[in-house]
Amino acid sequence: MPTTAMRRTLALSLAAAALLLNACTNLSSPVVRFDRQVNYGDSKAVELVTNEFGSTDLQMIAEKMTGSLLETGIFQGRPTVTISTVKNKTSEYIDTTNVMNSIQTTLVKSGKVRFTRSINEMQQGVDELQRQNQSGLYKQNSTAKVGQMTAAKYQLEGELTSIVKQSSSTKDVFYKFTLKLFDVQEGTIEWQDEKEIRKTSKR
């Protein structure tokens, strides 16, 4: 019959084995904890996290520019337009391409204008034409012909500037987005508009 000392030794051995098994199980199946709760929000809701350029500013600019352009009636006959550069003259890093993409999307959906490839997109079109016509992989009657691209009648150019003023308790940021529509052949400005935004925060 086992003595008290033997029973204690056996109990300690079983406890140690249980601890070792539990440690091995934790190593193979780590516990994942979610410290933050994520919720979806309204993408159109006003964003007031900081007074830096944000999603609400982008949406307001796109809405103002597209509404102004479509009201002019300049897009009679669905003319072709290309997008040039948008200069960011603020002290912030701002993806101005995102602003122009929103403007272009709304104009395309209106059905009143056609867009040709922008300067930044043109190389991709050239590469595809070369692939179809020089690789020898395609039937000649099915390839896109070189020299058949439609040129743009108008060109959109934009500029984003800002003025920042701050004191010990207040920071004021003034943004101005300017967009121009040029006639490519004549070099004339056929339309121009601006959107101004002021954002103030207390420290």
Side-chain angles (χ1 to χ4, degrees), residues 17 32 44 48 50 53 132 150 174:
V32 179
K44 298 295 184 182
L48 295 173
T50 69
F53 192 87
Q132 289 190 21
T150 300
F174 174 80

Side-chain angles (χ1 to χ4, degrees), residues 57-115:
D57 306 315
L58 184 154
Q59 291 165 354
M60 288 194 298
I61 288 172
E63 183 178 351
K64 171 67 181 296
M65 295 300 110
T66 53
S68 178
L69 265 170
L70 293 173
E71 286 175 1
T72 64
I74 198 171
F75 293 146
Q76 297 293 327
R78 292 187 71 218
T80 50
V81 178
T82 188
I83 291 178
S84 184
T85 58
V86 178
K87 297 177 182 177
N88 176 16
K89 293 188 175 182
T90 73
S91 59
E92 302 174 39
Y93 170 76
I94 298 173
D95 185 1
T96 54
T97 300
N98 204 13
V99 178
M100 296 304 289
N101 281 343
S102 295
I103 294 172
Q104 181 175 345
T105 297
T106 301
L107 292 176
V108 168
K109 291 172 70 174
S110 74
K112 295 183 178 181
V113 61
R114 296 177 298 157
F115 278 86

Side-chain angles (χ1 to χ4, degrees), residues 106-144:
T106 301
L107 292 176
V108 168
K109 291 172 70 174
S110 74
K112 295 183 178 181
V113 61
R114 296 177 298 157
F115 278 86
T116 64
R117 287 183 180 270
S118 68
I119 295 173
N120 294 331
E121 298 167 334
M122 181 55 70
Q123 188 57 50
Q124 297 175 12
V126 172
D127 292 344
E128 177 61 18
L129 282 172
Q130 291 177 343
R131 188 172 69 89
Q132 289 190 21
N133 288 278
Q134 298 177 13
S135 65
L137 297 174
Y138 302 95
K139 295 179 181 178
Q140 289 301 307
N141 60 354
S142 68
T143 59

